[in-house]
Amino acid sequence: MASSGSMEDLTAALESSCSTQTAASAENGPGISKKAAQKAAKKAERLQNRQAAAATAATAKEEDDPLGHNYGDLPLEDVQSKGISGRIWTKVSELDAALKERNVLIRGRAQSARGKGKIAFLIVREQGYTVQCVATVSESVSKGLVKYVTGLSKESIVDVEGVVSKPDVEIASTTQQVEIQVRKVYCVSKAASVLPLNLEDAARSERDLEKAEKEGVQYVRVGQDTRLNNRVLDLRTPANQAIFRIQSYVSMLFRQYLLSEDFVEIHTPKLMAGASEGGSAVFKLDYKGQSACLAQSPQLHKQMAICADFGRVFEIGPVFRAEDSFTHRHLCEFTGLDLEMEIKEHYFEVLDLLGELFVSIFDGLNAKCKKELQAINQQYPFEPLQYLRKTLLLTFPEGVQMLKDAGVEVDPFGDLNTESERRLGQLVKEKYNTDFYVLHRYPLAVRPFYTMPAVDDNRYSNSFDVFIRGEEIISGAQRVHDPDLLVKRAGDCGIDVKTLTAYIDSFRWGTVPHGGAGVGLERVVMLFCALNNIRKSSLFPRDPQRLAP
């Protein structure tokens, strides 16, 4: 039986050459000269050509191999649902010492394959979990199988059958601390021998790249455009696998909490006759001869649902903004987590619920996503989010005063810019030891037309924003439910009320006072994990310059 220690020299040699492999589109990091980059590219090309030739030769099954039926490329008809065999697959994540000496069948990606002579090592990855598979020539394993394994191209889908063993030493290169002694290997789907990017390169942290540069080692730095242009490959890295599992948890925890608080999930139209937020930042389109646009939010229809006596509603769905915002936190399409609810007396009822909701979400992520957070931390190191059990509430004037005391001058009746928001977040963290807080009572002039003015001073409004690490994730308010005031507010904001007739009429038929909020899912994930760009938390980002893949 081979242990992980028996492959160290071979692994090191092969991985050092693999680390320089890249496609022409991969971007080199700073400090690498043009001449060095060209030399590395030529070396990578030669290596790729050798690998392609080796793969073709290796995967050609030896006709006289009596054990040839134990390996090879599966015919397409074998995976065309022609029958049910009754075989049982084991998840890679479930492989542990309890399965020692048990025969198992797994399916995953060939993360790496290497070998020499009578032994080959194949690391199989399934959804972020990896296991080392060892093929050794014996009575049941032919030299042809070993040769076949070494020729498998990276990222190919393989079925591996073998016996679980437990080596005496730690396996540093895989998540699972067992090995599979291979008996059979079949390729289900062959990946191209040359890929646009290497996952080893895409998974390196900035810290690893900087350390390598100081030591004179040249790694390929995979740039954002290369990642997004080849997003399917990029999403296979451990950090990305973790990011979008955390995103799934955020929406699940959001839904679970609100359902427990008697909210009803609704689904509103995304084709609109007029802008729901005001302004010109809408995607316009022709709707059977009528002028229409994509919804900037579900705002109007979730309010109409309150008018229809649903009491408390929420929605998880796409939101479209045609803003030319070339920033780290803006997208033209994102996933909105929206809620609306009846108010009995005060809009603080909404704030109290939001505070409890997000504390519940944060607690849930910290309790249920430890492995995912660890995986993200390895590539994108971050400090855990600090938050209070009772969410901090500050008024807009209080925030302005904190900034003023720190030497930052802002318009007391204007909106805060990005730099001011970040600085206020730092001041709040220093004073209150929290990354999560609410700023409410914003100036009315900077809020949407449906925002309720403050009762004591109509220069202000019953509105709020919620922040994580000094960046806004939530915008909300008590809504105007008086139709005459709503018409006036819409006109003041330059909105054609004729496009909002159905919306305004719903308030003429009687409705309860209500308020709500809109949350950006991608922004929540980005800031909880302290990622530096929202494109990292968007599965397939849509920004002013990107419409594919």
Side-chain angles (χ1 to χ4, degrees):
M1 178 180 69
S3 71
S4 62
S6 65
M7 61 175 285
E8 293 300 324
D9 293 340
L10 179 61
T11 300
L14 287 167
E15 285 189 342
S16 65
S17 64
C18 286
S19 68
T20 61
Q21 183 183 350
T22 183
S25 61
E27 300 169 23
N28 293 293
I32 300 178
S33 67
K34 184 177 180 181
K35 185 176 180 181
Q38 291 173 340
K39 184 177 179 181
K42 289 181 179 179
K43 182 179 179 181
E45 184 179 359
R46 290 195 298 270
L47 176 62
Q48 290 166 355
N49 291 336
R50 288 199 301 271
Q51 287 177 330
T56 301
T59 54
K61 189 182 299 185
E62 298 180 15
E63 294 182 4
D64 59 348
D65 186 350
L67 298 175
H69 58 279
N70 289 338
Y71 64 93
D73 298 348
L74 280 184
L76 180 60
E77 64 182 37
D78 282 10
V79 288
Q80 281 186 284
S81 303
K82 71 175 184 179
I84 299 174
S85 68
R87 292 180 298 168
I88 299 175
W89 273 264
T90 301
K91 292 182 179 179
V92 171
S93 62
E94 296 173 351
L95 295 171
D96 57 25
L99 295 175
K100 185 178 179 181
E101 298 182 0
R102 293 268 299 274
N103 195 74
V104 295
L105 172 63
I106 65 171
R107 175 172 289 176
R109 292 191 179 276
Q111 179 164 299
S112 65
R114 45 197 174 271
K116 187 176 183 181
K118 297 182 178 182
I119 189 169
F121 301 93
L122 171 66
I123 292 182
V124 175
R125 185 186 74 251
E126 182 187 29
Q127 298 179 8
Y129 294 91
T130 53
V131 66
Q132 182 165 274
C133 304
V134 184
T136 308
V137 174
S138 64
E139 291 182 357
S140 57
V141 177
S142 68
K143 191 172 183 179
L145 185 149
V146 172
K147 185 178 180 182
Y148 178 80
V149 168
T150 61
L152 287 169
S153 55
K154 287 185 178 182
E155 298 302 297
S156 292
I157 302 296
V158 294
D159 283 349
V160 177
E161 186 175 336
V163 178
V164 176
S165 63
K166 182 73 171 73
D168 297 329
V169 296
E170 180 184 355
I171 308 175
S173 57
T174 63
T175 62
Q176 307 311 110
Q177 293 305 298
V178 294
E179 294 177 333
I180 295 179
Q181 303 303 315
V182 178
R183 297 294 179 265
K184 299 178 181 180
V185 180
Y186 303 102
C187 184
V188 179
S189 176
K190 188 179 295 184
S193 58
V194 180
L195 300 173
L197 57 84
N198 260 330
L199 260 69
E200 294 94 334
D201 296 326
R204 288 194 181 93
S205 68
E206 189 66 27
R207 182 173 52 198
D208 291 337
L209 291 168
E210 290 173 357
K211 180 181 177 182
E213 189 175 337
K214 290 178 182 177
E215 295 173 351
V217 179
Q218 293 183 353
Y219 283 144
V220 171
R221 185 186 299 270
V222 184
Q224 179 175 278
D225 283 343
T226 299
R227 290 178 183 275
L228 296 182
N229 290 340
N230 304 282
R231 189 60 162 163
V232 169
L233 280 175
D234 184 46
L235 288 172
R236 296 176 188 173
T237 64
N240 280 331
Q241 287 285 307
I243 286 169
F244 292 100
R245 281 170 168 75
I246 284 177
Q247 186 184 91
S248 175
Y249 261 97
V250 171
S251 58
M252 180 191 72
L253 292 166
F254 179 84
R255 176 180 281 111
Q256 285 181 344
Y257 183 87
L258 293 179
L259 289 174
S260 74
E261 293 292 322
D262 296 326
F263 278 74
V264 177
E265 184 169 10
I266 61 173
H267 305 282
T268 62
K270 305 308 166 196
L271 290 170
M272 304 282 290
S276 53
E277 299 293 325
S280 59
V282 294
F283 288 105
K284 297 179 180 179
L285 54 95
D286 177 78
Y287 185 73
K288 303 295 184 180
Q290 302 178 62
S291 177
C293 60
L294 295 177
Q296 294 168 293
S297 80
Q299 183 58 49
L300 308 187
H301 289 94
K302 65 179 181 175
Q303 283 188 257
M304 292 168 76
I306 298 299
C307 295
D309 291 346
F310 281 96
R312 292 181 160 195
V313 299
F314 75 94
E315 178 173 14
I316 301 176
V319 174
F320 303 92
R321 301 286 172 89
E323 299 167 338
D324 288 330
S325 297
F326 300 89
T327 75
H328 74 286
R329 64 176 186 170
H330 286 96
L331 292 171
C332 290
E333 179 184 354
F334 62 89
T335 302
L337 309 176
D338 279 85
L339 64 88
E340 203 76 17
M341 59 182 277
E342 178 184 349
I343 292 173
K344 296 297 186 185
E345 294 182 327
H346 201 286
Y347 74 96
F348 276 21
E349 296 165 34
V350 181
L351 294 181
D352 290 343
L353 181 133
L354 282 171
E356 294 169 2
L357 165 63
F358 274 86
V359 167
S360 174
I361 290 173
F362 300 152
D363 286 348
L365 294 177
N366 287 327
K368 299 177 181 179
C369 300
K370 287 184 172 64
K371 289 184 178 179
E372 288 80 5
L373 292 171
Q374 183 180 11
I376 296 170
N377 225 327
Q378 288 178 350
Q379 183 165 5
Y380 306 113
F382 68 95
E383 292 294 324
L385 186 77
Q386 298 295 311
Y387 55 98
L388 305 174
R389 305 318 298 177
K390 178 68 175 177
T391 301
L392 174 68
L393 302 183
L394 295 173
T395 66
F396 188 86
E398 286 173 338
V400 169
Q401 189 61 49
M402 288 179 69
L403 288 168
K404 185 176 180 180
D405 293 344
V408 180
E409 291 295 332
V410 296
D411 182 352
F413 293 100
D415 208 352
L416 299 180
N417 59 30
T418 301
E419 292 73 20
S420 297
E421 288 179 346
R422 283 182 174 172
R423 181 60 181 137
L424 183 57
Q426 293 170 355
L427 296 171
V428 169
K429 180 70 175 291
E430 292 168 4
K431 185 173 181 178
Y432 298 102
N433 195 33
T434 181
D435 292 310
F436 178 72
Y437 72 98
V438 176
L439 194 64
H440 67 100
R441 196 176 165 87
Y442 269 73
L444 183 63
V446 300
R447 306 305 283 195
F449 74 95
Y450 46 77
T451 304
M452 181 69 80
V455 66
D456 59 332
D457 187 341
N458 62 13
R459 296 178 300 173
Y460 293 99
S461 63
N462 296 345
S463 65
F464 55 86
D465 281 354
V466 183
F467 295 85
I468 295 180
R469 303 187 198 270
E471 296 197 42
E472 176 238 317
I473 61 159
I474 301 173
S475 183
Q478 179 180 359
R479 319 303 188 183
V480 175
H481 63 279
D482 179 87
D484 295 332
L485 178 57
L486 195 59
V487 170
K488 181 179 184 305
R489 287 281 300 138
D492 291 344
C493 292
I495 296 174
D496 183 3
V497 295
K498 293 179 182 178
T499 64
L500 302 174
T501 300
Y503 168 68
I504 295 172
D505 282 348
S506 64
F507 298 105
R508 300 190 191 280
W509 305 330
T511 190
V512 294
H514 58 279
V519 185
L521 174 60
E522 292 85 352
R523 202 174 283 190
V524 172
V525 175
M526 175 185 77
L527 294 169
F528 184 83
C529 299
L531 303 171
N532 62 6
N533 196 302
I534 199 166
R535 291 157 187 81
K536 288 186 172 76
S537 57
S538 176
L539 197 67
F540 295 98
R542 293 292 178 262
D543 61 28
Q545 295 179 317
R546 181 167 292 279
L547 194 57

